[in-house]
Amino acid sequence: MKKSLLLAAVMIGGIPAGGGLPAHAEQTRLWKQSSYDDFDKGTARGVAVRSDGKVVLAPKFREVAAPDAAYLWAVRRDSAGNLYAAGGTSAKVFRIDAAGKITVVFQSQELAVQALAIDGKDNLYAGTSPDGKVYRIQPDGKSEIFFDPKTRYIWDMAFDGSGNLYVATGDKGEIFRVKPDGKAGPFYKSEETHIRVLSWVHEGYLLAGTEPNGLILRVTPAGQGFVLYEAPKKEISALSVDRAGNICAGAMGERGRQIVREHFS
């Protein structure tokens, strides 16, 4: 697609009843539209306008399923293509198959399931709040407590290449590492109240987003962390790393005058 779009219009005056030539003829007028502001004035149908002014095909959205939950906090997909959605305010995990059929595969007494992870054998792990526990749900539906960190919130979970599960928690701002056999211990202790989100970056380094100072931390395989970025918002709620190693973060919440104390640990 060309970077700019050239539009042309020919204006033809009215033709007299006698069939003569137009009384007032208009010449061809040309105009050029190539910026986002230009295209934003129109109505996009089936296309999206990028910030640099390029017009691309737009993604198509459709409803896959509507689980019976007030909130959906996390979504994961297994190797068979089943979609799992974690909900609340009654802690449930829904399985949604390719046909859109919804099945409740896990339910507990906690208020919400806010984190999901799936291991290499398609075992599902559900982290609950506000009585933070990690449950393992096997493909046959059997569930058990896999890890109890004795803290209130399980915010996010991520597996490494060796099958170790990293668990981001609050309200003590800790990351735990749980081995495949269930043996666990503290991996990283921050000075923040919550570790809200985890994401892997190159060479096995773990990224962590925090609250209330809106920090992005990089944690080494040895469990040593330092601040990569301090956001103007109080909470880093989403992290993603592209193929070039660029970090994209979602932040929310206004914060007051707070001091960032954690630069090395």
Side-chain angles (χ1 to χ4, degrees):
M1 179 178 292
K2 294 182 179 179
K3 183 174 182 179
S4 61
L5 181 64
L6 189 64
L7 304 178
V10 179
M11 305 298 292
I12 303 177
I15 299 178
L21 293 175
H24 300 284
E26 288 282 350
Q27 294 182 345
T28 299
R29 293 188 297 174
L30 306 177
W31 68 93
K32 180 179 179 181
Q33 295 177 311
S34 60
S35 71
Y36 175 85
D37 291 337
D38 290 335
F39 292 127
D40 189 48
K41 297 174 184 178
T43 300
R45 299 184 184 278
V47 296
V49 182
R50 296 187 350 183
S51 60
D52 60 3
K54 291 185 178 180
V55 180
V56 297
L57 292 176
K60 184 177 181 180
F61 297 93
R62 66 182 179 88
E63 182 178 292
V64 175
D68 181 20
Y71 304 97
L72 294 178
W73 296 110
V75 177
R76 293 290 186 271
R77 188 184 298 275
D78 68 13
S79 64
N82 296 305
L83 195 65
Y84 294 89
T89 54
S90 175
K92 293 181 181 180
V93 177
F94 305 89
R95 182 177 61 216
I96 305 162
D97 65 16
K101 180 182 177 182
I102 302 173
T103 304
V104 176
V105 296
F106 174 77
Q107 184 170 3
S108 76
Q109 298 301 315
E110 285 83 28
L111 290 180
V113 176
Q114 292 188 286
L116 291 176
I118 298 177
D119 67 14
K121 298 180 180 179
D122 278 342
N123 293 306
L124 178 68
Y125 297 78
T128 63
S129 297
D131 298 313
K133 295 180 179 65
V134 177
Y135 293 84
R136 177 168 59 189
I137 303 108
Q138 299 177 14
D140 62 6
K142 180 182 178 181
S143 64
E144 60 183 350
I145 295 177
F146 179 67
F147 173 53
D148 184 356
K150 307 299 182 183
T151 190
R152 290 184 59 79
Y153 302 99
I154 307 294
W155 290 119
D156 199 10
M157 299 184 291
F159 279 101
D160 67 11
S162 300
N164 299 306
L165 180 64
Y166 293 78
V167 182
T169 70
D171 49 0
K172 298 178 182 178
E174 294 179 285
I175 301 173
F176 294 88
R177 177 169 55 195
V178 189
K179 295 181 179 180
D181 60 5
K183 294 181 180 180
F187 173 68
Y188 178 73
K189 176 70 173 74
S190 77
E191 295 184 15
E192 293 285 276
T193 305
H194 301 279
I195 302 293
R196 283 287 287 107
V197 62
L198 300 174
S199 182
W200 290 105
V201 72
H202 61 85
E203 299 176 356
Y205 284 79
L206 188 64
L207 297 178
T210 77
E211 193 274 343
N213 283 302
L215 306 180
I216 298 176
L217 308 173
R218 187 174 74 168
V219 187
T220 72
Q224 297 177 327
F226 60 92
V227 177
L228 283 182
Y229 179 71
E230 177 189 354
K233 301 292 186 178
K234 67 180 296 186
E235 180 177 340
I236 303 296
S237 57
L239 285 172
S240 182
V241 182
D242 67 14
R243 294 180 179 178
N246 298 305
I247 300 169
C248 300
M252 60 187 292
E254 300 300 327
R255 65 174 183 165
R257 297 173 61 88
Q258 301 179 23
I259 300 174
V260 177
R261 297 173 293 171
E262 179 173 10
H263 288 280
F264 298 95
S265 62

